[in-house]
């Protein structure tokens, strides 16, 4: 195992319900360090680019509209095995199938509005971090 970085988004359902602190507490308790964090309003173009791998899926339009429906918190998380670790902490995409104690099981209300995003591979982590952070902002 090595120290790695992953990209996280606290989605609009989290900011809307004042859950950013509660979600961050779960992240930090799991041993992941928040080394970059910014609250932004995503543009439609940014959301479409971010989720472009899902462009052909039936839920794509709904997903983009949701991601721009309110502010999000973009984050860089660091830790041992951070990419896989954060996927575990998030839980399954559908909160109904997520394990107890995961962020999605605890906080999410539907498969679409599922509170958090986390990168699924080292390659995507790198690309996703680069879409939202300057190297100089997360150098420490
Ligand atoms: P994950 O976020 O767990 O990696 P996916 O990459 O499969 O999940 O999907 C990306 C996002 O698209 C999900 O987090 C969720 O917000 C949305 N999504 C996935 N499946 C559905 C669905 N069946 N209906 C509505 N939205 C969905
Ligand atoms: Mg995914």
């Amino acid at each position: 195992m090595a120290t790695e970085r992953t990209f996280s988004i606290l989605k609009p359902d989290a900011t809307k319900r004042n859950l950013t602190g509660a979600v961050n507490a779960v992240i930090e308790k799991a041993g992941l360090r928040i080394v970059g964090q910014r609250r932004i309003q995503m543009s439609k173009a940014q959301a479409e680019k971010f989720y472009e791998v899902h462009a052909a899926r039936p839920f794509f339009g709904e997903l983009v509209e949701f991601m721009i429906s309110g502010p999000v918190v973009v984050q860089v998380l660091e830790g041992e095995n951070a990419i896989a670790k954060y996927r575990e902490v998030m839980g399954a995409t559908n909160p109904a199938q997520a394990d107890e104690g995961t962020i999605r099981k605890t906080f999410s209300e539907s498969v679409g509005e599922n509170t958090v995003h986390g990168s699924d591979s080292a390659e995507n982590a790198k690309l996703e971090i680069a879409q939202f952070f300057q190297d100089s902002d997360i150098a420490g």
Side-chain angles (χ1 to χ4, degrees):
M1 284 206 296
T3 299
E4 28 173 58
R5 287 180 168 191
T6 191
F7 179 70
S8 162
I9 304 177
L10 311 188
K11 297 184 179 184
D13 66 295
T15 61
K16 212 167 290 174
R17 293 182 289 153
N18 272 358
L19 290 174
T20 64
V23 174
N24 277 347
V26 177
I27 289 171
E28 291 187 325
K29 198 159 186 200
L32 293 165
R33 187 177 303 280
I34 302 164
V35 298
Q37 176 167 257
R38 211 167 69 247
R39 186 175 186 271
I40 62 166
Q41 171 64 51
M42 260 195 211
S43 68
K44 189 167 190 185
Q46 272 179 317
E48 284 172 346
K49 176 171 153 50
F50 183 73
Y51 276 123
E52 68 189 351
V53 297
H54 296 303
R57 310 280 283 279
F59 57 80
F60 182 68
E62 184 190 326
L63 175 58
V64 168
E65 287 307 315
F66 167 58
M67 292 302 289
I68 65 173
S69 68
V72 300
V73 178
V74 291
Q75 301 178 314
V76 179
L77 308 182
E78 185 178 271
E80 284 291 303
N81 220 11
I83 297 165
K85 163 83 72 72
Y86 189 45
R87 296 288 302 189
E88 253 179 64
V89 171
M90 287 164 51
T93 305
N94 185 345
Q97 284 152 19
D99 290 340
E100 286 299 329
T102 61
I103 292 168
R104 284 165 167 171
K105 178 71 175 185
T106 306
F107 299 111
S108 306
E109 289 174 340
S110 71
V111 65
E113 305 201 0
N114 60 3
T115 317
V116 279
H117 164 85
S119 308
D120 61 8
S121 67
E123 190 192 351
N124 284 335
K126 203 171 172 193
L127 291 170
E128 291 171 2
I129 289 169
Q131 190 183 342
F132 291 98
F133 287 90
Q134 305 275 324
D135 282 348
S136 56
D137 290 335
I138 48 172

